[in-house]
Amino acid sequence: MTAQVDRTAGAAGAAAAEAAGAGRAPRAPGTVRRRVLVGAAALLMLTGGATIAHGAADGTDGAPAPDGGGHAAHSTGTGAGTGTGSGQAGPVGGASRSGGFWMRADGVFSPPGSFVPSDALTYDTALVPAAARIEITQYADRTSHRVGTRLRGLVPNRAYGMHVHTSPCAADPASAGPHYQHRASATADPVNEVWLDFRTDRNGNGEAEVRHEWGFRDGGARSVIVHDAQGGAGKRVACFTVPFSS
């Protein structure tokens, strides 16, 4: 990026010197045109007018680093990817050389029936405002299975509950079904289920991550529900449909 800006500045300086009659030989039109295009590309990148995908550099084909220190892709534009919501990126994921896999999905909350549909629905805009954001990550290898979440734009300094559920989101909060359970009809606790309870900071941002030795059954986990209280129950205030992998 720096080299491109310096070359563009050099082209501008050369043009000024020629206009002032510095006695230098005029540059070929093609050379000036190429430098102008380079400068325009640099300006476009600086103003955020591009979408960039990058790996997390853990040596596993772009999978998130095992310590949670990176994301597999990042969108600097709006409406990128295959998501349906405004500013919402579609899910990304893949396999790793180590035999594991990863997935990341982003959502922008909106009420059911909004003009711009979204996979992230808020049923209580006082607790989960429209335009609040959610990110869900999933990573698995031969020994463990990890699910994480990040949320932005919620009520500051407040505790929320969150669990993985069995069905996709819909206008009726109950449509997401019950909690996903590793052993069906067994105990409802963080060992047998995926609990992502979190507390927001003063900016309304929160995050959580859990690890298990087991993964999801094929098609068994389809969404996450945000609750108004931590623990095993609570009012369903928001839902995000997530393409979890098994």
Side-chain angles (χ1 to χ4, degrees):
M1 180 70 71
T2 302
Q4 294 174 346
V5 173
D6 290 345
R7 289 173 58 191
T8 305
E18 290 168 358
R24 297 179 182 177
R27 297 182 181 274
T31 301
V32 175
R33 185 179 301 110
R34 284 194 299 272
R35 292 190 174 183
V36 170
L37 290 175
V38 168
L43 180 60
L44 177 63
M45 294 296 291
L46 288 172
T47 57
T51 298
I52 306 171
H54 56 82
D58 75 331
T60 54
D61 294 337
D67 62 356
H71 298 288
H74 174 65
S75 172
T76 59
T78 58
T82 58
T84 55
S86 176
Q88 176 174 301
V92 294
S96 66
R97 296 192 190 98
S98 61
F101 64 85
W102 61 273
M103 180 278 302
R104 180 180 65 81
D106 300 287
V108 179
F109 287 105
S110 64
S114 296
F115 178 75
V116 178
S118 176
D119 289 333
L121 301 176
T122 173
Y123 307 119
D124 186 337
T125 55
L127 295 180
V128 181
R133 305 184 70 91
I134 183 172
E135 175 189 88
I136 297 292
T137 56
Q138 180 187 16
Y139 178 80
D141 56 26
R142 295 185 181 93
T143 61
S144 67
H145 179 246
R146 185 179 78 217
V147 177
T149 186
R150 283 179 160 184
L151 297 103
R152 300 290 181 265
L154 304 185
V155 177
N157 302 313
R158 193 187 193 285
Y160 291 82
M162 180 185 285
H163 312 101
V164 173
H165 282 245
T166 60
S167 300
C169 308
D172 181 358
S175 297
H179 296 180
Y180 176 89
Q181 294 190 323
H182 175 54
R183 292 182 293 114
S185 301
T187 56
D189 57 40
V191 176
N192 191 47
E193 301 178 346
V194 180
W195 291 22
L196 293 161
D197 293 356
F198 63 94
R199 184 175 184 85
T200 57
D201 60 19
R202 62 182 182 179
N203 298 314
N205 304 329
E207 58 186 71
E209 183 180 276
V210 295
R211 295 173 184 256
H212 294 90
E213 295 180 354
W214 47 263
F216 296 131
R217 294 180 294 276
D218 188 22
R222 303 290 300 279
S223 64
V224 293
I225 285 280
V226 181
H227 297 269
D228 67 344
Q230 296 186 345
K235 176 185 175 184
R236 301 184 181 196
V237 296
C239 182
F240 180 35
T241 299
V242 182
F244 286 112
S245 299
S246 58

